[in-house]
Amino acid sequence: MSEAVIRDIIVSESDDYIINMGPQHPSTHGVLRLEVSLMGETVKSVTPHIGYIHRGIEKMCESDSYQQIIHLTDRMDYLSAHMNNEAVCLCVEQALQVEVPERVKYIRTILDELTRLSSHQLWWSAFGMDLGALTTFFYGLRDRELILDIFEESFGSRLLHSFNTPGGLMHDVHPNFQKSVREYLKYFRKKLPEYKQLLTDNVIFRQRTEGVGVMNREMAISYGVTGPSGRGSGYSCDVRKIAPYSAYPLVQFEEKLQTAGDSYARYLVRMDEMWESMHIIDQLIDNIPAGDFTAKMKPVLKLPPGEYFQRVETARGELDVYIVSDGNKTPYRMKFRSPNFSNLFVLNELSAGGKIADLVAISGSLDLVIPDIDR
Amino acid sequence: MYDFSQLTGAIDAALHRSMTPGWALFTELVIIGLVVLILYALVGLFLVYLERKVCAFMQNRVGPNRVGPYGIIQTIADLIKLLMKELIPIARADKFLFNLAPFVVIIVSFMALAAIPFALGLQAIDLNIGVLYVTAVSSLGVVGILLAGWSSNSKYALIGAMRSGAQIVSYELSVGLSLLTVIVLAGSMQLSEIVASQADGWWIFKGHIPAFFAFIIFVVASTAEINRGPFDLAEAESELTAGFHTEYSGIKFAFFFLAEYMNMFIVSALGATLFLGGWMPFHIGHWEAFNHIMDFIPPLVWFLLKTFFLIYVIMWFKWTFPRLRIDQLLTLEWKYLMPLSLVNIVVVAFITLMGWHF
Amino acid sequence: MLREALISLLKTLFPDGQVREETQYPELLVPNTRWLEVATTLRNHEDLHLDFLISLTAVDYKDKFTLVIHMESTSFRHLLVVKTDLNDHENPVVDSLSTLWPTAGFHEREVYDLFGIRFSGHTDMRRLFMEEGYGFPLRKDFSDESRVLTLS
């Protein structure tokens, strides 16, 4: 049902009791081992151990062409798969100074926001389930299935589409795409208030998350916590506002901030972001310009020697792609600055001094996806 | 209304005619024991199935529907599976206590079940301290839980058992005080008399405000008593300990599991008996015509309807709310429910003295 | 602050560093002996205030390593790339920046794990993904017998 299973209990030489939470969790967090040092009920420190799903993506990129790299990036933060793809495509397009058609920009942004919506739905489901409200898992996933159906209709794949390619998209979207998305928005606008009734306004939920894991703005900046986790502490870090890309300069939307910095604030930011995502899609879905779905690109891409840096806002924070090219068809060095890597290591600061039950609430509110940490 | 004491009287007379009084008594005990046992097993099996179906419908899915029509044989299949599981012995555990603990828990809930009035004359034991007996016997359940945690020889099973024990002992106070409200109103602890006193209306309506508050407190506190719903931290898997029954497997685990569902039934039956009239149909004062129409539905059906309504509410709690943390749980009891119950008792005593109830 | 103003400020503050202006973001190349000092100035100087360390990584240029940091200021919103060369390819050592940015501590552990660059002054210099004794995978001369494909 829910997440932590004791793997082993060891007593160290000191008086601390050390428990391992993980590496296998039945819920969505991924393969992460948290070594929790306890004094009675209180957590003294949490040491994360990662590397269980390290696949050497950055090394593999050094021997793959740029089109092949897209498929590797899907598997990093798989819940924001589209944004990962887009980051690499934008970086390559920036390097080659290729201008993609307007249609591509609109579709990429719409897909970005749909992916963000589906990622937040899964987060909400898992967060409720971790705290014991087992029914939220089904409600969130029920609504997410409809988005995945839209994806499947257009791309053939529900989660890891690899639909972007440098220069544009692999093929055009399904003719039903606009209609399906509009219908979905109408449906989900009625469902999202239910989420508020079920969890947001629930007294028990608020008691479990308010005041738990407080992170102030300075801590968020110095630990590099971006995304909704950072915005919950009042740190305005939305890359869509700082360095807009694709069709973001054309849309009006607000960056939602909360100042409390506790788990409840991070929760509220994500709920608000779901509304904003629907607002953004609304502005774009009716105006997709006709045109090509890709610019003309050579089959073999060779980036001019130099360094290129692209920033993108995934559902969890700022993903940056750094390419060092020496003129060959594969990059010399490819670095992915993943948001979850920075978000994870603030866990120790936030949960020290709290209870074990609070650790669950905090790690749920940080919304970590482990394959993104390990790459 | 059909009086079951005619049936039991007839059986009693028949036995006494054909055997010596000693043997007749023995046979009666055996019959009652078998009936209660079968009732326990059937209700337990049904409740497990009900929970899975209720939970499924709340979660927008179907639940068991493969094993038998509409999945009704699912629980029996699960039981067979549990019976076939390996009983994993624990190293350096206290074997006697380890084996005793599930039995303590089961026997305690048996004993409580025996005192519940199902219909007029259909009650295994009708003590004149009925309510006190039921609460006293349920308190023994804590002993079983603590034995289970202690004898598992596992630090975290012990902590889980202590947490459960603390929770149950705390919430017993609120349960007792809310039951006391009805006892004050009815003037008796004998369960059959309490039901009879509701012949002109259920106590939740006759006792208006204090009885209503007592009912709310009772439902919340008894959910915590049976370690269910938003109060199941001690055995929830998302915390680090799986609770006092971590080390149990196979049939012994089945005992704990079954006892939890039967406790839910007993607690709901108690609530239905004291607050919602037990087997008494819905009567309004002395409106004879209306009461006569209500009497067409057999009392047993009334009782089961009310009990299963409360069971449904308890299940609803579990599948809707997140869990409380252990310190929030105990704060709820000691800082909120307990003072409220005490005030309620004073109010109801005053009301009864002044005769301001229906 | 504006790009020109930033570049001229950097040239004033760090006369022994090289500033490149033609790249996507301004780049500053400093000698590795002054690494911690430069980073402290970059973080604390009131007109620079680069408090958000975006990423810290390294590139293996076969005869040297280059540490590359991307950092941004949350108040001025300018982004700067800072580099340093480590010419010792066998045992590269450089100062740790974990006292200035806690997140740097973890990026440095990753760099140590993948490249073998040690950071002096780091409180917890352990590998992050791999086990001890694995070798340093992202180095260009890394070879692993179990690999099926050979990389050029």
Side-chain angles (χ1 to χ4, degrees), chain A residues 1-2 4 6 9 19 21 41 130-135 138-139 142 198 202 204-205 207-208 356-358 360, chain B residues 58-61 155-156 159 163 230 233 237-241 318-328:
Chain A
M1 253 187 339
S2 309
I6 298 182
I9 302 171
I19 306 181
M21 272 172 76
E41 182 84 28
D130 284 345
L131 290 181
L134 304 156
T135 313
F138 293 93
Y139 290 177
R142 170 197 64 190
L198 191 55
N202 187 309
I204 302 178
F205 178 75
Q207 270 196 314
R208 285 294 297 268
I356 302 175
D358 292 336
V360 170
Chain B
M58 284 185 187
Q59 291 172 349
N60 207 18
R61 54 188 181 92
K155 179 172 180 67
Y156 284 93
I159 291 185
R163 277 190 195 169
L233 198 81
E237 289 136 29
S238 70
E239 305 309 311
L240 296 178
T241 49
K318 171 164 181 158
W319 298 108
T320 313
F321 295 125
R323 278 180 208 108
L324 266 73
R325 239 176 27 212
I326 191 75
D327 60 321
Q328 292 166 344

Short mmCIF file of all heavy atoms in Angstrom, two decimals, chain A residues 1-2 4 6 9 19 21 41 130-135 138-139 142 198 202 204-205 207-208 356-358 360, chain B residues 58-61 155-156 159 163 230 233 237-241 318-328:
data_model
loop_
_atom_site.label_atom_id
_atom_site.label_comp_id
_atom_site.label_asym_id
_atom_site.label_seq_id
_atom_site.Cartn_x
_atom_site.Cartn_y
_atom_site.Cartn_z
N MET A 1 0.82 -1.20 0.00
CA MET A 1 0.00 0.00 0.00
C MET A 1 0.86 1.26 0.00
O MET A 1 0.99 1.91 -0.97
CB MET A 1 -0.88 0.03 1.24
CG MET A 1 -2.28 -0.27 0.84
SD MET A 1 -3.60 -0.12 2.01
CE MET A 1 -3.02 -0.19 3.60
N SER A 2 1.42 1.61 1.08
CA SER A 2 2.18 2.89 1.14
C SER A 2 3.67 2.62 1.17
O SER A 2 4.10 1.55 0.79
CB SER A 2 1.75 3.67 2.35
OG SER A 2 0.36 3.77 2.36
N ALA A 4 7.17 3.09 3.16
CA ALA A 4 8.47 2.60 3.65
C ALA A 4 8.39 1.19 4.22
O ALA A 4 7.49 0.86 4.97
CB ALA A 4 8.99 3.54 4.72
N ILE A 6 10.89 -1.60 6.30
CA ILE A 6 12.20 -1.69 6.95
C ILE A 6 13.03 -2.69 6.18
O ILE A 6 12.59 -3.80 5.94
CB ILE A 6 12.05 -2.19 8.39
CG1 ILE A 6 11.23 -1.21 9.20
CG2 ILE A 6 13.40 -2.35 9.02
CD1 ILE A 6 11.10 -1.63 10.63
N ILE A 9 17.56 -3.24 10.48
CA ILE A 9 17.69 -2.35 11.63
C ILE A 9 19.05 -2.62 12.22
O ILE A 9 19.34 -3.73 12.65
CB ILE A 9 16.59 -2.65 12.66
CG1 ILE A 9 15.22 -2.50 12.02
CG2 ILE A 9 16.75 -1.73 13.83
CD1 ILE A 9 14.12 -2.97 12.90
N ILE A 19 17.75 3.45 10.86
CA ILE A 19 16.80 2.67 10.07
C ILE A 19 17.00 3.03 8.62
O ILE A 19 17.28 4.18 8.30
CB ILE A 19 15.36 3.06 10.42
CG1 ILE A 19 15.12 2.94 11.89
CG2 ILE A 19 14.40 2.19 9.71
CD1 ILE A 19 13.72 3.29 12.20
N MET A 21 15.13 3.52 5.16
CA MET A 21 13.87 3.59 4.43
C MET A 21 14.20 3.40 2.97
O MET A 21 14.83 4.23 2.36
CB MET A 21 13.22 4.96 4.62
CG MET A 21 12.34 5.05 5.83
SD MET A 21 11.80 6.73 6.13
CE MET A 21 10.56 6.93 4.90
N GLU A 41 11.54 8.88 18.87
CA GLU A 41 10.63 9.17 17.77
C GLU A 41 11.18 10.27 16.86
O GLU A 41 10.67 10.50 15.78
CB GLU A 41 9.30 9.61 18.39
CG GLU A 41 8.18 9.91 17.47
CD GLU A 41 7.40 8.68 17.05
OE1 GLU A 41 7.36 7.72 17.81
OE2 GLU A 41 6.86 8.70 15.94
N ASP A 130 0.57 8.65 0.64
CA ASP A 130 1.60 8.54 1.67
C ASP A 130 1.09 8.96 3.02
O ASP A 130 1.50 8.42 4.04
CB ASP A 130 2.78 9.45 1.31
CG ASP A 130 3.63 8.86 0.23
OD1 ASP A 130 3.48 7.67 -0.05
OD2 ASP A 130 4.43 9.61 -0.35
N LEU A 131 0.21 9.96 3.03
CA LEU A 131 -0.27 10.44 4.32
C LEU A 131 -1.45 9.65 4.83
O LEU A 131 -1.94 9.91 5.91
CB LEU A 131 -0.67 11.92 4.21
CG LEU A 131 0.49 12.86 4.03
CD1 LEU A 131 -0.01 14.28 3.97
CD2 LEU A 131 1.46 12.73 5.18
N GLY A 132 -1.95 8.70 4.04
CA GLY A 132 -3.00 7.83 4.55
C GLY A 132 -4.34 8.03 3.90
O GLY A 132 -5.25 7.26 4.14
N ALA A 133 -4.50 9.06 3.06
CA ALA A 133 -5.78 9.25 2.38
C ALA A 133 -5.73 8.43 1.11
O ALA A 133 -5.45 8.92 0.04
CB ALA A 133 -5.98 10.73 2.06
N LEU A 134 -6.04 7.13 1.26
CA LEU A 134 -5.75 6.19 0.19
C LEU A 134 -6.58 6.41 -1.05
O LEU A 134 -6.22 5.95 -2.12
CB LEU A 134 -5.98 4.78 0.73
CG LEU A 134 -5.13 4.52 1.98
CD1 LEU A 134 -5.72 3.44 2.83
CD2 LEU A 134 -3.73 4.16 1.58
N THR A 135 -7.69 7.10 -0.92
CA THR A 135 -8.57 7.26 -2.07
C THR A 135 -8.03 8.26 -3.07
O THR A 135 -8.36 8.19 -4.25
CB THR A 135 -9.94 7.72 -1.59
OG1 THR A 135 -10.32 6.90 -0.50
CG2 THR A 135 -10.97 7.60 -2.66
N PHE A 138 -6.59 7.03 -6.41
CA PHE A 138 -7.44 6.64 -7.53
C PHE A 138 -8.02 7.83 -8.25
O PHE A 138 -8.14 7.83 -9.47
CB PHE A 138 -8.54 5.71 -7.03
CG PHE A 138 -7.98 4.41 -6.55
CD1 PHE A 138 -7.64 4.22 -5.24
CD2 PHE A 138 -7.73 3.39 -7.45
CE1 PHE A 138 -7.09 3.03 -4.81
CE2 PHE A 138 -7.19 2.20 -7.04
CZ PHE A 138 -6.86 2.02 -5.72
N TYR A 139 -8.38 8.86 -7.49
CA TYR A 139 -8.99 10.01 -8.15
C TYR A 139 -7.98 10.72 -9.05
O TYR A 139 -8.29 11.09 -10.17
CB TYR A 139 -9.52 11.00 -7.11
CG TYR A 139 -10.73 10.48 -6.36
CD1 TYR A 139 -11.29 11.23 -5.34
CD2 TYR A 139 -11.31 9.26 -6.67
CE1 TYR A 139 -12.39 10.77 -4.64
CE2 TYR A 139 -12.40 8.81 -5.97
CZ TYR A 139 -12.94 9.56 -4.96
OH TYR A 139 -14.02 9.11 -4.26
N ARG A 142 -7.20 8.58 -12.11
CA ARG A 142 -8.33 8.53 -13.04
C ARG A 142 -8.29 9.72 -13.98
O ARG A 142 -8.50 9.58 -15.19
CB ARG A 142 -9.63 8.52 -12.23
CG ARG A 142 -10.88 8.71 -13.05
CD ARG A 142 -12.03 9.10 -12.17
NE ARG A 142 -11.80 10.38 -11.53
CZ ARG A 142 -12.55 10.88 -10.57
NH1 ARG A 142 -13.56 10.20 -10.09
NH2 ARG A 142 -12.27 12.05 -10.04
N LEU A 198 -11.23 17.39 -1.01
CA LEU A 198 -10.79 16.15 -0.42
C LEU A 198 -9.57 16.33 0.46
O LEU A 198 -9.50 15.79 1.56
CB LEU A 198 -10.49 15.14 -1.54
CG LEU A 198 -10.25 13.71 -1.11
CD1 LEU A 198 -11.41 13.20 -0.31
CD2 LEU A 198 -10.04 12.84 -2.32
N ASN A 202 -8.92 19.69 4.24
CA ASN A 202 -9.09 18.68 5.27
C ASN A 202 -8.25 19.03 6.50
O ASN A 202 -7.06 19.28 6.40
CB ASN A 202 -8.64 17.35 4.67
CG ASN A 202 -8.93 16.20 5.59
OD1 ASN A 202 -8.59 16.23 6.76
ND2 ASN A 202 -9.55 15.19 5.06
N ILE A 204 -7.24 17.27 9.05
CA ILE A 204 -6.16 16.34 9.40
C ILE A 204 -4.98 16.55 8.48
O ILE A 204 -3.83 16.57 8.91
CB ILE A 204 -6.66 14.88 9.28
CG1 ILE A 204 -7.84 14.65 10.17
CG2 ILE A 204 -5.54 13.93 9.62
CD1 ILE A 204 -8.38 13.27 10.07
N PHE A 205 -5.25 16.77 7.19
CA PHE A 205 -4.16 16.98 6.24
C PHE A 205 -3.40 18.24 6.58
O PHE A 205 -2.16 18.27 6.56
CB PHE A 205 -4.75 17.08 4.83
CG PHE A 205 -3.73 17.35 3.78
CD1 PHE A 205 -2.87 16.35 3.36
CD2 PHE A 205 -3.60 18.60 3.21
CE1 PHE A 205 -1.93 16.59 2.40
CE2 PHE A 205 -2.65 18.85 2.25
CZ PHE A 205 -1.82 17.85 1.85
N GLN A 207 -3.10 19.64 9.46
CA GLN A 207 -2.29 19.41 10.66
C GLN A 207 -1.03 18.65 10.34
O GLN A 207 0.01 18.86 10.95
CB GLN A 207 -3.10 18.57 11.66
CG GLN A 207 -3.91 19.37 12.62
CD GLN A 207 -4.35 18.52 13.77
OE1 GLN A 207 -4.81 17.39 13.57
NE2 GLN A 207 -4.21 19.01 14.96
N ARG A 208 -1.10 17.72 9.38
CA ARG A 208 0.09 16.94 9.05
C ARG A 208 1.09 17.75 8.25
O ARG A 208 2.27 17.42 8.20
CB ARG A 208 -0.31 15.73 8.19
CG ARG A 208 -0.97 14.57 8.86
CD ARG A 208 -0.10 13.86 9.83
NE ARG A 208 1.07 13.24 9.27
CZ ARG A 208 1.14 11.99 8.83
NH1 ARG A 208 0.09 11.23 8.85
NH2 ARG A 208 2.27 11.51 8.36
N ILE A 356 9.22 10.93 12.53
CA ILE A 356 9.31 10.08 11.34
C ILE A 356 8.14 10.36 10.42
O ILE A 356 8.27 10.39 9.20
CB ILE A 356 9.29 8.60 11.73
CG1 ILE A 356 10.41 8.28 12.69
CG2 ILE A 356 9.41 7.74 10.51
CD1 ILE A 356 10.34 6.88 13.19
N ALA A 357 6.96 10.56 11.03
CA ALA A 357 5.78 10.82 10.21
C ALA A 357 5.96 12.09 9.39
O ALA A 357 5.46 12.20 8.28
CB ALA A 357 4.56 10.93 11.10
N ASP A 358 6.72 13.05 9.97
CA ASP A 358 6.94 14.30 9.23
C ASP A 358 7.87 14.08 8.05
O ASP A 358 7.76 14.76 7.03
CB ASP A 358 7.54 15.35 10.15
CG ASP A 358 6.56 15.78 11.20
OD1 ASP A 358 5.34 15.63 10.96
OD2 ASP A 358 7.00 16.27 12.25
N VAL A 360 7.92 11.65 6.09
CA VAL A 360 7.09 11.20 4.98
C VAL A 360 6.40 12.38 4.32
O VAL A 360 6.37 12.51 3.09
CB VAL A 360 6.05 10.18 5.51
CG1 VAL A 360 5.03 9.87 4.47
CG2 VAL A 360 6.74 8.94 5.96
N MET B 58 -15.79 3.55 -3.44
CA MET B 58 -15.37 4.92 -3.14
C MET B 58 -14.18 5.32 -3.99
O MET B 58 -13.95 6.49 -4.22
CB MET B 58 -15.00 5.04 -1.67
CG MET B 58 -16.19 5.10 -0.80
SD MET B 58 -15.69 5.39 0.87
CE MET B 58 -17.24 5.20 1.66
N GLN B 59 -13.39 4.34 -4.41
CA GLN B 59 -12.21 4.66 -5.18
C GLN B 59 -12.45 4.50 -6.66
O GLN B 59 -11.51 4.37 -7.43
CB GLN B 59 -11.06 3.76 -4.75
CG GLN B 59 -10.58 4.09 -3.36
CD GLN B 59 -9.59 3.10 -2.86
OE1 GLN B 59 -9.40 2.06 -3.46
NE2 GLN B 59 -8.95 3.43 -1.76
N ASN B 60 -13.72 4.49 -7.06
CA ASN B 60 -14.03 4.51 -8.48
C ASN B 60 -13.58 3.24 -9.17
O ASN B 60 -13.18 3.26 -10.32
CB ASN B 60 -13.33 5.72 -9.12
CG ASN B 60 -14.06 6.20 -10.34
OD1 ASN B 60 -15.20 5.89 -10.53
ND2 ASN B 60 -13.37 6.95 -11.17
N ARG B 61 -13.63 2.11 -8.47
CA ARG B 61 -13.31 0.85 -9.11
C ARG B 61 -14.28 -0.20 -8.61
O ARG B 61 -15.20 0.12 -7.88
CB ARG B 61 -11.86 0.46 -8.85
CG ARG B 61 -11.51 0.44 -7.41
CD ARG B 61 -10.02 0.24 -7.17
NE ARG B 61 -9.80 0.20 -5.74
CZ ARG B 61 -9.80 -0.91 -5.02
NH1 ARG B 61 -9.96 -2.08 -5.61
NH2 ARG B 61 -9.64 -0.86 -3.72
N LYS B 155 12.10 -4.74 18.47
CA LYS B 155 11.95 -3.44 19.12
C LYS B 155 10.81 -2.64 18.53
O LYS B 155 10.07 -1.97 19.22
CB LYS B 155 13.26 -2.66 18.96
CG LYS B 155 13.17 -1.30 19.59
CD LYS B 155 14.50 -0.60 19.61
CE LYS B 155 14.35 0.76 20.26
NZ LYS B 155 14.04 0.65 21.68
N TYR B 156 10.67 -2.73 17.22
CA TYR B 156 9.67 -1.88 16.60
C TYR B 156 8.28 -2.44 16.71
O TYR B 156 7.31 -1.69 16.70
CB TYR B 156 10.10 -1.53 15.16
CG TYR B 156 11.18 -0.50 15.25
CD1 TYR B 156 12.51 -0.87 15.27
CD2 TYR B 156 10.87 0.84 15.42
CE1 TYR B 156 13.49 0.08 15.44
CE2 TYR B 156 11.84 1.79 15.58
CZ TYR B 156 13.15 1.40 15.59
OH TYR B 156 14.11 2.34 15.77
N ILE B 159 7.32 -1.06 20.07
CA ILE B 159 6.93 0.35 20.02
C ILE B 159 5.54 0.49 19.41
O ILE B 159 4.70 1.25 19.89
CB ILE B 159 7.96 1.16 19.20
CG1 ILE B 159 9.26 1.24 19.96
CG2 ILE B 159 7.44 2.55 18.92
CD1 ILE B 159 10.29 2.10 19.30
N ARG B 163 2.29 2.06 21.28
CA ARG B 163 1.50 3.16 20.71
C ARG B 163 0.03 2.77 20.65
O ARG B 163 -0.84 3.55 21.02
CB ARG B 163 1.96 3.44 19.29
CG ARG B 163 3.14 4.30 19.15
CD ARG B 163 3.24 4.65 17.70
NE ARG B 163 4.50 5.20 17.33
CZ ARG B 163 4.86 5.38 16.06
NH1 ARG B 163 4.05 5.01 15.10
NH2 ARG B 163 6.01 5.91 15.79
N PRO B 230 -8.74 7.16 10.45
CA PRO B 230 -7.61 8.07 10.52
C PRO B 230 -6.72 7.84 11.72
O PRO B 230 -5.72 8.53 11.89
CB PRO B 230 -8.28 9.45 10.60
CG PRO B 230 -9.69 9.23 10.92
CD PRO B 230 -10.03 7.83 10.61
N LEU B 233 -2.29 4.82 12.72
CA LEU B 233 -0.86 5.04 12.56
C LEU B 233 -0.04 3.86 13.02
O LEU B 233 0.98 3.53 12.44
CB LEU B 233 -0.45 6.26 13.38
CG LEU B 233 0.86 6.81 12.93
CD1 LEU B 233 0.66 7.66 11.74
CD2 LEU B 233 1.50 7.59 14.02
N GLU B 237 1.40 1.02 7.03
CA GLU B 237 2.69 0.65 6.46
C GLU B 237 3.52 1.85 6.08
O GLU B 237 4.68 1.71 5.79
CB GLU B 237 2.49 -0.21 5.23
CG GLU B 237 1.99 -1.57 5.58
CD GLU B 237 0.86 -1.97 4.64
OE1 GLU B 237 0.87 -1.50 3.49
OE2 GLU B 237 0.01 -2.74 5.07
N SER B 238 2.94 3.03 6.02
CA SER B 238 3.76 4.15 5.60
C SER B 238 4.59 4.68 6.75
O SER B 238 5.38 5.58 6.57
CB SER B 238 2.93 5.27 5.01
OG SER B 238 2.19 5.88 6.02
N GLU B 239 4.40 4.15 7.92
CA GLU B 239 5.35 4.47 8.99
C GLU B 239 6.33 3.33 9.08
O GLU B 239 6.16 2.30 8.46
CB GLU B 239 4.62 4.68 10.31
CG GLU B 239 3.55 5.72 10.22
CD GLU B 239 4.06 7.02 9.61
OE1 GLU B 239 5.11 7.50 10.06
OE2 GLU B 239 3.42 7.52 8.68
N LEU B 240 7.34 3.49 9.89
CA LEU B 240 8.41 2.51 9.84
C LEU B 240 8.08 1.19 10.51
O LEU B 240 8.70 0.19 10.28
CB LEU B 240 9.67 3.09 10.47
CG LEU B 240 10.18 4.29 9.69
CD1 LEU B 240 11.39 4.86 10.36
CD2 LEU B 240 10.53 3.87 8.30
N THR B 241 7.11 1.20 11.38
CA THR B 241 6.78 -0.06 12.05
C THR B 241 5.46 -0.57 11.48
O THR B 241 4.56 0.20 11.20
CB THR B 241 6.59 0.14 13.55
OG1 THR B 241 5.72 1.25 13.76
CG2 THR B 241 7.90 0.41 14.21
N LYS B 318 -12.17 5.75 7.08
CA LYS B 318 -10.84 5.24 6.76
C LYS B 318 -10.42 5.63 5.35
O LYS B 318 -9.28 5.99 5.11
CB LYS B 318 -10.82 3.73 6.90
CG LYS B 318 -9.53 3.17 6.36
CD LYS B 318 -9.27 1.77 6.79
CE LYS B 318 -7.94 1.34 6.19
NZ LYS B 318 -7.34 0.26 6.89
N TRP B 319 -11.35 5.54 4.42
CA TRP B 319 -10.92 5.72 3.04
C TRP B 319 -10.94 7.17 2.61
O TRP B 319 -10.60 7.48 1.49
CB TRP B 319 -11.79 4.86 2.11
CG TRP B 319 -11.61 3.43 2.42
CD1 TRP B 319 -12.50 2.62 3.03
CD2 TRP B 319 -10.43 2.66 2.24
NE1 TRP B 319 -11.96 1.38 3.21
CE2 TRP B 319 -10.70 1.38 2.74
CE3 TRP B 319 -9.17 2.92 1.69
CZ2 TRP B 319 -9.75 0.36 2.72
CZ3 TRP B 319 -8.24 1.91 1.67
CH2 TRP B 319 -8.54 0.65 2.17
N THR B 320 -11.35 8.07 3.46
CA THR B 320 -11.37 9.48 3.08
C THR B 320 -10.24 10.28 3.69
O THR B 320 -9.62 11.07 3.01
CB THR B 320 -12.71 10.12 3.51
OG1 THR B 320 -13.75 9.27 3.14
CG2 THR B 320 -12.89 11.47 2.88
N PHE B 321 -9.98 10.08 4.98
CA PHE B 321 -9.09 10.99 5.67
C PHE B 321 -7.66 10.51 5.68
O PHE B 321 -7.40 9.33 5.75
CB PHE B 321 -9.53 11.16 7.12
CG PHE B 321 -10.87 11.81 7.27
CD1 PHE B 321 -11.87 11.19 7.98
CD2 PHE B 321 -11.11 13.03 6.69
CE1 PHE B 321 -13.10 11.80 8.12
CE2 PHE B 321 -12.33 13.63 6.82
CZ PHE B 321 -13.34 13.01 7.54
N PRO B 322 -6.68 11.46 5.67
CA PRO B 322 -5.30 11.07 5.95
C PRO B 322 -5.15 10.68 7.41
O PRO B 322 -6.04 10.91 8.21
CB PRO B 322 -4.49 12.35 5.66
CG PRO B 322 -5.43 13.32 5.11
CD PRO B 322 -6.82 12.89 5.39
N ARG B 323 -4.00 10.12 7.73
CA ARG B 323 -3.81 9.64 9.11
C ARG B 323 -3.37 10.76 10.02
O ARG B 323 -2.65 11.64 9.63
CB ARG B 323 -2.70 8.61 9.13
CG ARG B 323 -3.16 7.28 8.76
CD ARG B 323 -2.03 6.31 8.79
NE ARG B 323 -2.37 5.30 7.85
CZ ARG B 323 -1.80 5.14 6.70
NH1 ARG B 323 -0.78 5.88 6.36
NH2 ARG B 323 -2.22 4.23 5.88
N LEU B 324 -3.73 10.62 11.30
CA LEU B 324 -3.20 11.54 12.29
C LEU B 324 -1.88 11.00 12.80
O LEU B 324 -1.68 9.81 12.92
CB LEU B 324 -4.16 11.66 13.48
CG LEU B 324 -5.15 12.80 13.43
CD1 LEU B 324 -6.21 12.49 12.42
CD2 LEU B 324 -5.79 13.01 14.77
N ARG B 325 -1.01 11.90 13.15
CA ARG B 325 0.24 11.52 13.80
C ARG B 325 -0.08 11.13 15.22
O ARG B 325 -1.07 11.57 15.78
CB ARG B 325 1.16 12.74 13.81
CG ARG B 325 2.47 12.53 13.12
CD ARG B 325 3.31 13.76 13.07
NE ARG B 325 3.10 14.69 14.11
CZ ARG B 325 3.24 16.00 13.93
NH1 ARG B 325 3.53 16.45 12.74
NH2 ARG B 325 3.06 16.83 14.92
N ILE B 326 0.80 10.33 15.85
CA ILE B 326 0.47 9.81 17.17
C ILE B 326 0.28 10.93 18.19
O ILE B 326 -0.61 10.87 19.05
CB ILE B 326 1.54 8.79 17.63
CG1 ILE B 326 1.09 8.03 18.87
CG2 ILE B 326 2.86 9.43 17.89
CD1 ILE B 326 0.06 7.00 18.61
N ASP B 327 1.07 11.97 18.11
CA ASP B 327 0.90 13.02 19.11
C ASP B 327 -0.36 13.82 18.85
O ASP B 327 -1.04 14.27 19.79
CB ASP B 327 2.14 13.94 19.16
CG ASP B 327 2.39 14.60 17.84
OD1 ASP B 327 2.22 13.96 16.81
OD2 ASP B 327 2.77 15.79 17.85
N GLN B 328 -0.75 13.96 17.57
CA GLN B 328 -1.99 14.66 17.27
C GLN B 328 -3.20 13.85 17.73
O GLN B 328 -4.19 14.40 18.20
CB GLN B 328 -2.11 14.90 15.77
CG GLN B 328 -1.09 15.87 15.24
CD GLN B 328 -1.00 15.84 13.73
OE1 GLN B 328 -1.47 14.91 13.09
NE2 GLN B 328 -0.38 16.84 13.17
#
